[in-house]
Amino acid sequence: MVRDTARGSLTTEVFSDLASVEALWRGLEADPAVLATPYQRFDWVAAYARAEPGTDVRVLVVRDASGRPQVLIPCHVTREHGLRVAGVVGAKHANYHMPVFASRAAASLQPADLAEQLRAAARGAGIDAYAFSHQPRFWDGAANPLCFRSEPSPSDAYGLLLGPDAESTVRRVFSGDARKKLRSKEKKLVETFGPVAYRVARTDAEVTAYLDAFYAQKASRFAAMGIPNPYADAAVRAFIAAGAGRDARSDAPAIEVAALVATESGRVFAVFAGAVDAARYSGMMTSFDQDPSVGRSSPGDLLLQSLVRDQAERGRRALDLGVGEARYKTNTCDETIELGEVTIPVTLRGRIFALKAVGTARLKRRIKRDPRLSALVTRLRRWRAAP
């Protein structure tokens, strides 16, 4: 336990295993006042940790003067060039890495106080630096103190608010012309393959079927692009399967999988999967059938329209389509979620690491925001991946 001796108001506990902090963590999640993203749900983090053997997880819990938990931050400690770096759990699979704040009041903690608590905890754990990527500057209208003085991320994320009436939400998000075109495309898909339906995986068998289709569709897509397929990794598949599995301890899986399917043949035309909590659906991954007879009906767009309607009907207040630029995101979303890269050095070597991390973030952002540089990097990646 680390105490803020200067102020005598904050204490920080560091847990080295998930089981010891599970009850506290789930208690924070269940509180309606909590401020958090779906990627810091206990079930999401636990699924990732189980699928990655040897994952060195540290969970920091900052308490106030009365001992009440105010902030919870899960970390993954790795070695980088001889340094121990505490980073985010989930790496690129998590769109956001904000701490779990017990309330909006907890999120108003002074950035300097929070950073000092993290540094003090790191000294006791032998950590040289923290590297927290994809920190939302604001979440649900509240500022994120961990994002104070952060470096802008290479890419931002895109989201939208869902209204209480599902049909009104769909009409707001998709123009009349867009809805008309989608009805025409769905009609052509039905004429070719028979009736189609939107489905959310409710059983482990459905999870497996939809994910298998996703992996096959992604493999085809990446092969056509000439780039490595990250979903070929067995550990990645194990994590997604664990997160999407039906767990009796939880009201909802950590990852929700939806698909557009042919009701007669069971053929899966498109898949969408996202991290979820009670209030938000956050898109993690999507794919569609590469067959030209399917592709001309825009199955991904058809699935997205049904997804928006379904999430609004089920009472979720927000939906986002994750980090990175894409046409379907800008066409659908009306909110840009600004993200920052946060590096907190602890030791002298950690300060050197932080300088390098800032330089890398700036370079990536420049490449991402310059179409010519981005195209050049894509060509180089294809060249390196070519046999």
Side-chain angles (χ1 to χ4, degrees), residues 33 35 70 101-110 142:
L35 192 69
Q70 297 297 298
F101 295 103
S103 64
R104 291 178 182 273
S108 67
L109 183 70
Q110 289 297 314

Side-chain angles (χ1 to χ4, degrees), residues 117-331:
Q117 284 294 304
L118 295 181
R119 288 193 179 97
R123 294 185 191 104
I127 292 171
D128 293 289
Y130 293 94
F132 296 140
S133 61
H134 293 178
Q135 288 289 323
R137 294 186 181 277
F138 295 88
W139 193 257
D140 199 17
N144 174 9
L146 195 57
C147 207
F148 182 69
R149 292 182 178 175
S150 63
E151 191 70 23
S153 292
S155 296
D156 292 320
Y158 302 88
L160 61 98
L161 296 178
L162 302 174
D165 181 77
E167 288 307 316
S168 295
T169 298
V170 170
R171 288 195 296 271
R172 172 171 57 85
V173 175
F174 302 93
S175 68
D177 184 56
R179 297 197 307 275
K180 181 178 179 180
K181 289 180 179 178
L182 288 176
R183 285 194 296 270
S184 176
K185 290 182 177 183
E186 182 176 10
K187 182 179 178 180
K188 291 179 181 178
L189 194 64
V190 170
E191 289 173 350
T192 305
F193 297 98
V196 300
Y198 167 82
R199 294 281 188 267
V200 176
R202 305 292 184 190
T203 66
D204 286 335
E206 290 175 333
V207 168
T208 299
Y210 300 162
L211 288 181
D212 283 349
F214 170 83
Y215 295 134
Q217 291 165 7
K218 275 299 187 185
S220 175
R221 177 67 172 168
F222 285 127
M225 296 173 66
I227 60 177
N229 178 10
Y231 297 104
D233 188 329
V236 172
R237 295 191 179 198
F239 152 61
I240 296 171
R246 310 303 296 189
D247 189 335
R249 297 176 302 169
S250 179
D251 294 333
I255 299 172
E256 189 171 281
V257 184
L260 185 71
V261 302
T263 57
E264 294 177 353
S265 66
R267 182 169 179 172
V268 178
F269 300 120
V271 179
F272 221 113
V276 295
D277 59 21
R280 175 178 291 259
Y281 180 102
S282 181
M284 289 174 54
M285 54 195 200
T286 186
S287 69
F288 61 89
D289 194 319
Q290 300 294 310
D291 187 332
S293 64
V294 175
R296 61 171 173 256
S297 292
S298 302
D301 292 340
L302 291 171
L303 176 57
L304 181 56
Q305 180 180 241
S306 295
L307 180 71
V308 169
R309 177 183 290 106
D310 176 51
Q311 297 304 315
E313 287 177 344
R314 291 161 61 188
R316 289 197 169 108
R317 301 192 302 270
L319 179 148
D320 69 71
L321 299 177
V323 179
E325 296 73 22
R327 177 193 60 82
Y328 78 97
K329 295 182 182 182
T330 54
N331 287 350

